[in-house]
Amino acid sequence: MAITGNLDRPGGDVFSEGGRGGGGRGAGGRGGGGAEPLGLQDRYTKEWVDKLVGPEFPRALQPGGDYKSDYEFWIDLGVRMGYGRDFWNGSIAECMDEQLKPYGVTLADLRSKPTGIALPKREPVYEKHEQVFKSPSTRLSKAPYLPQGEVAIYNTTFEENGFSPLPVWVEPPESPTATPELLAKYPLTFSDFHTSKVYNAGWLRNVPYLREVMPDPTLQIHPDAAGSRGIANGDWVIVESPHGQLKVKAEVSPGIRPDTVMMLHGWQGCSELGKLYYPLLRGGANANTMYSTDPKKAYDPVVTAMTSRTLVQVRKA
């Protein structure tokens, strides 16, 4: 059992060992503000907690097996790649102890008190400009994010490494203003988004309960754009760009611009519902195939993120 945060009233910080998988390794979060710390030893005895998770409230799911938490997976991977010194030499206990150090708690402390540990409430400190501005970065050098100790519009770190020190607007590889010559064949602007009413950036299309709510990939298209192409809501359509082609269902929506279409990225199969995997390349539902991969046009020079915008034509399948 894991107890994290506060239980029935605002208080101090309450921690307990929790996490995922067999005997997880996570540490609980912070409690809310309040006038006094919440102490399990004051309000809740172990017998009371045991009753809370007793026969009246049975476990919803049995553990899937003896496997590791996400933290351990990444620690083990770092060690296998030769970066053991940077990954606590494979020790999940040392990793957790480092994260818990500001609270004066160790993983062993949490394991010795399965019902939780109460910590005194810490008053928030505001306007910590000097401390925050000098905080070490995640770079190997640990140099501060703000080398001048203040917010900088002119990025000297970028300049020292050969990049523009100021923001610069760069047209996407294809757009109405960058490539107007393509508009006759590809008159609509296309982009994608990552979350919806049931899915997140982790896809989750293979979860039957979620797939029943949104079973097929769809393209959001304005009624005017759909009507001029003889497309009705729910029709299968072909979306074609200079680089790729998709087959998805039309989702006619007045909430999108008439010159723009968008779709949810990332579709996989769902065996329980008989949904097959869509092809990753031409003719599937992978939005990434629609964009330019020209390194001189499509990628941010600093973080190498690619653009997710192009021009398309849509027709009924």
Side-chain angles (χ1 to χ4, degrees):
M1 172 188 177
I3 304 171
T4 58
N6 44 24
L7 295 182
D8 77 342
R9 61 173 180 163
D13 299 331
V14 179
F15 297 97
S16 74
E17 184 184 4
R20 310 179 181 189
R25 301 286 195 267
R30 290 209 54 166
E36 58 183 279
L38 169 65
L40 289 177
Q41 68 275 18
D42 307 321
R43 299 288 305 280
Y44 303 103
T45 64
K46 185 175 185 303
E47 290 73 20
W48 185 93
V49 174
D50 288 341
K51 182 183 293 187
L52 179 65
V53 292
E56 299 90 345
F57 300 95
R59 187 192 297 268
L61 294 172
Q62 294 299 321
D66 184 17
Y67 49 88
K68 296 183 177 181
S69 68
D70 285 0
Y71 274 114
E72 288 176 289
F73 171 84
W74 294 113
I75 289 173
D76 288 349
L77 180 62
V79 172
R80 290 285 296 273
M81 293 178 66
Y83 299 102
R85 189 173 60 178
D86 298 316
F87 285 85
W88 302 275
N89 294 312
S91 171
I92 185 64
E94 291 183 18
C95 172
M96 293 292 103
D97 285 347
E98 182 173 315
Q99 296 183 60
L100 293 168
K101 187 176 180 180
Y103 299 97
V105 178
T106 67
L107 183 61
D109 294 334
L110 293 180
R111 287 175 170 167
S112 69
K113 297 183 181 295
T115 54
I117 294 176
L119 301 178
K121 178 187 172 187
R122 298 189 303 176
E123 293 295 334
V125 179
Y126 302 103
E127 299 185 2
K128 301 180 293 184
H129 301 123
E130 183 176 359
Q131 175 186 341
V132 172
F133 290 166
K134 292 184 177 180
S135 297
S137 69
T138 55
R139 299 195 296 269
L140 294 177
S141 67
K142 301 299 182 183
Y145 285 113
L146 302 171
Q148 289 82 29
E150 56 188 3
V151 175
I153 298 176
Y154 191 97
N155 193 317
T156 56
T157 302
F158 280 11
E159 185 177 43
E160 291 167 1
N161 288 276
F163 300 108
S164 172
L166 293 170
V168 177
W169 167 256
V170 178
E171 283 278 2
E174 300 93 27
S175 73
T177 51
T179 53
E181 69 277 8
L182 295 178
L183 289 175
K185 186 175 182 180
Y186 304 107
L188 300 172
T189 297
F190 173 92
S191 188
D192 67 87
F193 52 96
H194 290 194
T195 60
S196 71
K197 58 188 175 183
V198 291
Y199 300 128
N200 62 26
W203 293 21
L204 304 179
R205 311 303 192 273
N206 61 330
V207 180
Y209 293 126
L210 303 182
R211 196 63 178 267
E212 287 173 349
V213 177
M214 192 173 181
D216 299 304
T218 61
L219 181 82
Q220 294 182 358
I221 185 170
H222 191 272
D224 292 347
S228 64
R229 292 166 172 77
I231 296 170
N233 190 59
D235 286 347
W236 285 98
V237 297
I238 301 297
V239 188
E240 187 173 7
S241 81
H243 312 286
Q245 188 181 94
L246 304 173
K247 183 178 180 180
V248 296
K249 278 190 173 182
E251 181 183 346
V252 179
S253 170
I256 193 170
R257 289 169 52 117
D259 62 351
T260 301
V261 292
M262 295 191 71
M263 71 169 289
L264 183 68
H265 96 128
W267 287 87
Q268 63 204 94
C270 182
S271 58
E272 290 87 347
L273 299 182
K275 295 287 185 182
L276 302 178
Y277 276 76
Y278 292 90
L280 288 176
L281 302 179
R282 188 176 180 86
N286 180 8
N288 287 339
T289 64
M290 303 294 280
Y291 306 124
S292 170
T293 57
D294 185 341
K296 296 181 179 179
K297 298 180 179 180
Y299 295 92
D300 180 281
V302 178
V303 299
T304 69
M306 64 179 288
T307 179
S308 57
R309 183 175 170 183
T310 188
L311 297 175
V312 300
Q313 179 61 285
V314 181
R315 67 178 187 273
K316 194 171 180 178

